[in-house]
Amino acid sequence: MTDDRAGGERDDQVWPEMVHWDLGGASAHGREMLWQCDAVRAGRLYERRVFASREEAEAFAVWMRQREPDHMFNVEAIKASTVWN
């Protein structure tokens, strides 16, 4: 929407209802909660991955337990604001 004012001033505005954010594949990460999977061995963090859903994180943990039996894999929910600000 454009507001033409006297004196040649223009003020461009956008109505919030008219904005559509299409982030493609990244749209799944626009949530409040994310799921984190930590790989720990002997009390030491070796790897940390972030997933959009619990199912993805659990599937990754199961897959990695088969390949790295000496690691422990912990899945937990985290706030997205702790990852991206």
Side-chain angles (χ1 to χ4, degrees):
M1 177 173 108
T2 302
D3 181 16
D4 294 325
R5 296 182 183 167
E9 292 181 33
R10 291 182 71 175
D11 187 16
D12 293 334
Q13 299 175 357
V14 175
W15 293 338
E17 308 84 44
M18 300 305 290
V19 176
H20 173 69
W21 298 99
D22 184 8
L23 302 175
S27 64
H29 300 289
R31 300 179 180 161
E32 285 288 320
M33 296 301 291
L34 296 173
W35 293 87
Q36 169 178 295
C37 181
D38 291 342
V40 179
R41 180 174 178 227
R44 196 168 178 193
L45 178 66
Y46 275 82
E47 185 176 3
R48 174 172 285 160
R49 293 211 183 180
V50 178
F51 298 90
S53 70
R54 182 178 184 160
E55 292 78 23
E56 289 175 323
E58 292 287 349
F60 175 75
V62 168
W63 184 73
M64 287 303 292
R65 280 184 191 112
Q66 296 170 354
R67 281 144 190 82
E68 300 285 344
D70 59 336
H71 284 69
M72 292 182 58
F73 294 91
N74 304 317
V75 174
E76 65 179 313
I78 59 170
K79 286 187 170 185
S81 61
T82 62
V83 179
W84 299 287
N85 52 9

